[in-house]
Amino acid sequence: MAKLRFAAVSAAALCVAACNVGPDFKPLESGLPGVPFAHVALKGDVASVETARPVDPTWWKAFSDPKLTSLEQRVALANLDLQTATLRIAESRFQRGSVASAELPSINGSAKYQREQYSQNGIASLLTQLAPPGSATTAIPPINEYTPGFDASWELDLWGRVRRQVEAADAQVEAAEDQRRDTLVSLLAEVARDYIQLRGAQALINIANENLKVEQDLLDLTRTRQEKGLTTGLDVENAAAQVEAVRAMIPGFEQQESERINALSFLLDLPPNGLRAELSRVKATPPTPARVPIGVPAELARRRPDIRHAEDELHAQTADTGVAVAAFYPTVQLNGTLELDSLTLDKLWRGSSVQYMAGPSISLPIFEGGRLKSMLELAKAQQQEAAIAYRKTVLQAWHDVVNALVAYRAEQQRRAHLAQQITHSQEALTLARARYNDGVADFTTVLDTARTVLQAQQQYVQSTANVSIDLVQLYKALGGGWEGTYPKRPVEQAAN
């Protein structure tokens, strides 16, 4: 018992004195400024301006569209990619538990029974040869052997090899969590884009139907004038061709509508047309708010999931470098075996049947053919690669936000000009029809002006959708939709 106490005290002292070799992880400076986003967008008045207020995680509510809000709330639970990302979090946690188990002793129980017959021509024959001359010898009969027991081993993590492995596993858990966040941010943005494009397609259908009525009126007008001998069949045929041209646009817009409904259905784990009954009713394109909170660049490093994921990977690679360094140091392990051994069951549980072995073991790498050095250099190179990837991710995030800001402002300005074009084109169409009725202008001018009106209206509808989509892209670039907790899946509940 004194020896066991000494061994326990020694092991405790060694554990207290243990250290972690290799580099400690220190987060890198993002290099992002703490001042508001300024002087990055185009000059000029716009309807929706940016402010330095923090980004709202539920940014889609800024569109004030209940249907869009409903889709965004439902997709987080229904989407298959997000479910996969959630399960990967559980997988990383299980992996972490497997790695962390090396910090604790390993104990295994065993039991063995065997019946053994010694060969009379093997070792047993030595008894005959060693027996005194003339003495009687007997053959060794078959024997039974009962051996229950257990063995234990415990690696003393003196150099932090296991602790570094656990540190790397913790970083991988965080990486899996941030990967889910990144998936969610992209998913929420995709739902909003598809929804806005759907409303844009429906608006184009309405515009086409309205212009079809206008073109039909022009066709009726030319036929009436032809009957009165005021025009020729050329104007009638041109008007009829224009009617068919507008009518031919509608199937393409209906196809776009169907594709967006199916895209949203897929994101919500529904069959094709699964949302048609819910989304077929035409609604206006979600308008943008008057003010858009975008925060400051320095917040990107904590809010953008891809930046956090890159930092997690750098943390894991740094810890792996520590594991590679610890491989150069001795491995100390405490081993023990306790067994009961008896040839008969009635004596198996007696104290005299106890046999044990206990003691430390140590192993030291002496010659590995350069393997350990190569593994260390590999880990260092991977750590440097992860640092570069982090810097690149931060820089890309900054560019994404600036580009999204410029696109958002530019499209608003373009839409304002298109609105003015529609006003002037409609006035020109009114004048052209009046001059045609008075016989002053030819019908070609009326048709050209009608085409200009239709084109301007379609471009305005598309620009309106693009403004909202650009805002969605801006929120995505800012890391909007970030979450701190996750819905539990059955596999995670079982793990807990």
Side-chain angles (χ1 to χ4, degrees), residues 123-147:
I123 296 178
S125 65
L126 295 177
L127 297 176
T128 303
Q129 298 176 12
L130 297 176
S135 61
T137 59
T138 59
I140 300 177
I143 61 173
N144 298 319
E145 185 175 16
Y146 305 90
T147 315

Side-chain angles (χ1 to χ4, degrees), residues 53-76:
R53 288 183 299 159
V55 178
D56 184 2
T58 57
W59 52 263
W60 50 88
K61 294 181 180 179
F63 289 103
S64 301
D65 190 311
K67 184 60 64 178
L68 174 60
T69 299
S70 173
L71 293 174
E72 297 285 21
Q73 292 172 342
R74 289 149 57 188
V75 74

Side-chain angles (χ1 to χ4, degrees), residues 5-287:
R5 284 195 297 270
F6 175 78
V9 172
S10 299
L14 288 171
C15 291
V16 171
C19 62
N20 291 344
V21 298
D24 292 325
F25 173 70
K26 296 179 181 179
L28 299 179
E29 292 292 334
S30 67
L32 295 170
V35 297
F37 291 97
H39 308 297
V40 297
L42 301 179
K43 303 298 182 180
D45 295 333
V46 290
S48 177
V49 298
E50 310 84 24
T51 68
R53 288 183 299 159
V55 178
D56 184 2
T58 57
W59 52 263
W60 50 88
K61 294 181 180 179
F63 289 103
S64 301
D65 190 311
K67 184 60 64 178
L68 174 60
T69 299
S70 173
L71 293 174
E72 297 285 21
Q73 292 172 342
R74 289 149 57 188
V75 74
L77 294 175
N79 184 258
L80 298 179
D81 289 336
L82 207 57
Q83 292 181 28
T84 300
T86 304
L87 289 174
R88 285 174 180 164
I89 295 176
E91 293 170 5
S92 65
R93 290 173 180 169
F94 295 147
Q95 182 66 30
R96 192 267 181 199
S98 176
V99 173
S101 65
E103 294 182 312
L104 301 175
S106 174
I107 302 175
N108 298 296
S110 63
K112 181 177 66 175
Y113 162 76
Q114 61 185 20
R115 181 172 177 81
E116 190 170 355
Q117 168 69 64
Y118 288 100
S119 170
Q120 301 301 317
N121 297 321
I123 296 178
S125 65
L126 295 177
L127 297 176
T128 303
Q129 298 176 12
L130 297 176
S135 61
T137 59
T138 59
I140 300 177
I143 61 173
N144 298 319
E145 185 175 16
Y146 305 90
T147 315
F150 68 89
D151 62 83
S153 62
W154 182 26
E155 178 183 344
L156 302 181
D157 193 23
L158 303 179
W159 322 113
R161 182 184 67 85
V162 176
R163 289 192 295 275
R164 290 297 192 192
Q165 289 177 333
V166 174
E167 181 183 353
D170 286 334
Q172 291 297 342
V173 171
E174 294 177 358
E177 293 173 349
D178 288 324
Q179 186 64 54
R180 179 197 149 90
R181 292 187 181 106
D182 193 34
T183 302
L184 178 61
V185 168
S186 299
L187 177 63
L188 295 172
E190 181 61 29
V191 170
R193 276 196 300 266
D194 288 340
Y195 180 80
I196 293 169
Q197 289 173 348
L198 167 66
R199 297 311 185 192
Q202 291 174 338
L204 289 174
I205 294 174
N206 286 343
I207 292 293
N209 285 326
E210 291 174 2
N211 279 269
L212 185 60
K213 296 178 182 178
V214 173
E215 301 296 344
Q216 187 65 51
D217 290 342
L218 290 176
L219 176 59
D220 294 340
L221 175 63
T222 57
R223 285 173 175 169
T224 300
R225 289 175 61 83
Q226 183 187 31
E227 292 173 357
K228 296 179 179 180
L230 300 176
T231 188
T232 65
L234 178 61
D235 289 349
V236 174
E237 294 303 324
N238 283 333
Q242 183 66 12
V243 168
E244 296 304 324
V246 175
R247 187 175 286 133
M249 296 178 181
I250 297 177
F253 298 147
E254 291 176 341
Q255 177 186 352
Q256 295 178 22
E257 177 190 31
S258 179
E259 288 175 349
R260 292 308 97 201
I261 290 177
N262 288 338
L264 288 167
S265 300
F266 178 75
L267 292 176
L268 269 70
D269 189 24
L270 295 173
N273 290 319
L275 293 173
R276 178 165 292 278
E278 183 177 348
L279 299 177
S280 59
R281 182 179 178 183
V282 178
K283 293 186 63 176
T285 300

Side-chain angles (χ1 to χ4, degrees), residues 144-472:
N144 298 319
E145 185 175 16
Y146 305 90
T147 315
F150 68 89
D151 62 83
S153 62
W154 182 26
E155 178 183 344
L156 302 181
D157 193 23
L158 303 179
W159 322 113
R161 182 184 67 85
V162 176
R163 289 192 295 275
R164 290 297 192 192
Q165 289 177 333
V166 174
E167 181 183 353
D170 286 334
Q172 291 297 342
V173 171
E174 294 177 358
E177 293 173 349
D178 288 324
Q179 186 64 54
R180 179 197 149 90
R181 292 187 181 106
D182 193 34
T183 302
L184 178 61
V185 168
S186 299
L187 177 63
L188 295 172
E190 181 61 29
V191 170
R193 276 196 300 266
D194 288 340
Y195 180 80
I196 293 169
Q197 289 173 348
L198 167 66
R199 297 311 185 192
Q202 291 174 338
L204 289 174
I205 294 174
N206 286 343
I207 292 293
N209 285 326
E210 291 174 2
N211 279 269
L212 185 60
K213 296 178 182 178
V214 173
E215 301 296 344
Q216 187 65 51
D217 290 342
L218 290 176
L219 176 59
D220 294 340
L221 175 63
T222 57
R223 285 173 175 169
T224 300
R225 289 175 61 83
Q226 183 187 31
E227 292 173 357
K228 296 179 179 180
L230 300 176
T231 188
T232 65
L234 178 61
D235 289 349
V236 174
E237 294 303 324
N238 283 333
Q242 183 66 12
V243 168
E244 296 304 324
V246 175
R247 187 175 286 133
M249 296 178 181
I250 297 177
F253 298 147
E254 291 176 341
Q255 177 186 352
Q256 295 178 22
E257 177 190 31
S258 179
E259 288 175 349
R260 292 308 97 201
I261 290 177
N262 288 338
L264 288 167
S265 300
F266 178 75
L267 292 176
L268 269 70
D269 189 24
L270 295 173
N273 290 319
L275 293 173
R276 178 165 292 278
E278 183 177 348
L279 299 177
S280 59
R281 182 179 178 183
V282 178
K283 293 186 63 176
T285 300
T288 56
R291 293 187 175 273
V292 178
I294 61 175
V296 295
E299 297 174 354
L300 291 178
R302 290 293 88 199
R303 191 172 58 242
R304 285 261 304 211
D306 56 342
I307 295 179
R308 294 168 60 94
H309 182 269
E311 185 180 69
D312 297 334
E313 293 293 339
L314 176 58
H315 189 174
Q317 291 296 339
T318 303
D320 286 339
T321 301
V323 175
V325 172
F328 287 86
Y329 290 79
T331 300
V332 180
Q333 188 167 336
L334 299 180
N335 304 294
T337 301
L338 176 64
E339 293 181 338
L340 297 174
D341 187 63
S342 175
L343 299 182
T344 58
L345 279 174
D346 58 336
K347 297 180 180 180
L348 179 63
W349 307 108
R350 297 182 182 180
S352 57
S353 298
V354 174
Q355 61 183 25
Y356 69 87
M357 179 279 293
S361 64
I362 183 171
S363 62
L364 175 66
I366 296 177
F367 179 73
E368 294 281 349
R371 182 182 66 86
L372 297 182
K373 183 178 180 180
S374 296
M375 293 301 296
L376 176 58
E377 295 301 326
L378 173 62
K380 290 180 178 179
Q382 291 174 335
Q383 181 183 357
Q384 294 174 359
E385 181 183 357
I388 294 174
Y390 173 79
R391 176 58 184 165
K392 180 182 178 181
T393 304
V394 172
L395 190 60
Q396 183 64 59
W398 198 355
H399 278 265
D400 288 345
V401 175
V402 171
N403 291 337
L405 276 171
V406 172
Y408 184 52
R409 277 183 163 262
E411 194 61 44
Q412 289 188 78
Q413 294 175 9
R414 177 173 178 266
R415 181 180 60 179
H417 294 309
L418 288 171
Q420 293 297 323
Q421 181 187 6
I422 290 175
T423 300
H424 295 306
S425 298
Q426 288 177 334
E427 181 65 22
L429 179 59
T430 301
L431 294 175
R433 291 188 63 172
R435 287 172 60 84
Y436 177 68
N437 289 334
D438 294 338
V440 178
D442 58 14
F443 190 66
T444 302
T445 302
V446 177
L447 288 180
D448 291 341
T449 308
R451 293 191 192 101
T452 301
V453 171
L454 175 59
Q455 183 181 18
Q457 290 176 337
Q458 290 176 339
Q459 289 180 344
Y460 180 81
V461 167
Q462 292 169 342
S463 181
T464 299
N466 288 340
V467 169
S468 296
I469 291 174
D470 287 339
L471 180 56
V472 171

